[in-house]
Amino acid sequence: NSTSPTRFSIHDYTAAPVGYVKFKISFNGGTNGVYNFSLGDGATFSDNNAMPTVQIFAGIRWTLGASNAITYNVLNSTTYGTTGISNPTTLFTQGTSNVYEVEVYANNTTSTANYTRSGTAYTINSGTWDLWVNGTRVGTSLARGGMANNVNFDSFAFNHQSNVTAPGTIYIDDMEYSNTLPQFIALNGIMDEAAWGSALATSTGGPTPGFGASHAINAVYCVGDATHLYFGLAGNVQNGNRILLFIDSRSGGYNDGSFSRTSAPASATA
């Protein structure tokens, strides 16, 4: 009913004004069910009361209809509507074989924020969010819900909040969430992106480089996302020389310097 909804939520993780949520969802067997996804902060993410829009930063609503139809809307301030989204009546269809990958990238800071997806950088305006479905961005810099700007969020929920005769069922899987946005790494020889994080190892306290004058490896970095693995070697290499990065991906590792290659060059033999 309208005051005691059926809900699944993950709440009170480390709060931040940016972040993302990813999940897979499918719908089946309903003709008048109404389901919501809400990202925000507030007591109703952990109790059994109706979800007020003032606690929601990003909101999606799916309304199930006859003949497996679904209409979806997004929350704009206090009202759900279709402003800014693509294909509101045809994007989703009921059926357990129709599995949709939904991604929400949110920025509730007072300035723009960047994120990377599949190696491409995107910008979200202040106090807005992006919506992706099955690899396509269907909403860009969408208006936030009733939550004030520059406020942290730390919870998300799925709920059914209507007492109806044929609500149907939703199936949710593969949820992923973070209080940071995935960052883009530019391969331009300059390692100044925060996404690199802390070095795996540095030369601090180590011996003087033995590669000759003006040759040094000062730090090693590694960071990955869903589609890419990045390695960064901080230091200096003179023109004409190279650094060889070897990745030991063999189960159990190698036990000789030829790396099990019968025709290994002399420099790589044990």
Side-chain angles (χ1 to χ4, degrees), residues 93-220:
T93 303
Q94 293 186 62
T96 54
S97 61
N98 299 327
V99 179
Y100 298 93
E101 298 183 14
V102 179
E103 304 168 43
V104 171
Y105 298 91
N107 171 30
N108 201 26
T109 69
T110 56
S111 59
T112 60
N114 299 318
Y115 69 95
T116 182
R117 186 187 182 282
S118 298
T120 301
Y122 299 90
T123 298
I124 322 175
N125 292 333
S126 167
T128 66
W129 58 287
D130 280 3
L131 174 62
W132 293 73
V133 178
N134 287 351
T136 298
R137 186 164 54 163
V138 298
T140 302
S141 288
L142 297 169
R144 68 180 185 273
M147 178 178 284
N149 187 220
N150 203 31
V151 174
N152 292 341
F153 46 81
D154 61 3
S155 306
F156 64 90
F158 299 87
N159 69 278
H160 183 266
Q161 200 164 299
S162 297
N163 187 6
V164 295
T165 55
T169 304
I170 65 170
Y171 304 87
I172 307 165
D173 200 1
D174 292 348
M175 289 177 289
E176 177 184 335
Y177 61 96
S178 175
N179 63 353
T180 63
L181 290 169
Q183 295 300 308
F184 179 72
I185 293 177
L187 302 180
N188 58 4
I190 302 173
M191 296 172 57
D192 58 354
E193 297 90 356
W196 283 111
S198 299
L200 297 178
T202 71
S203 61
T204 302
T208 301
F211 304 110
S214 301
H215 295 267
I217 297 178
N218 299 321
V220 179

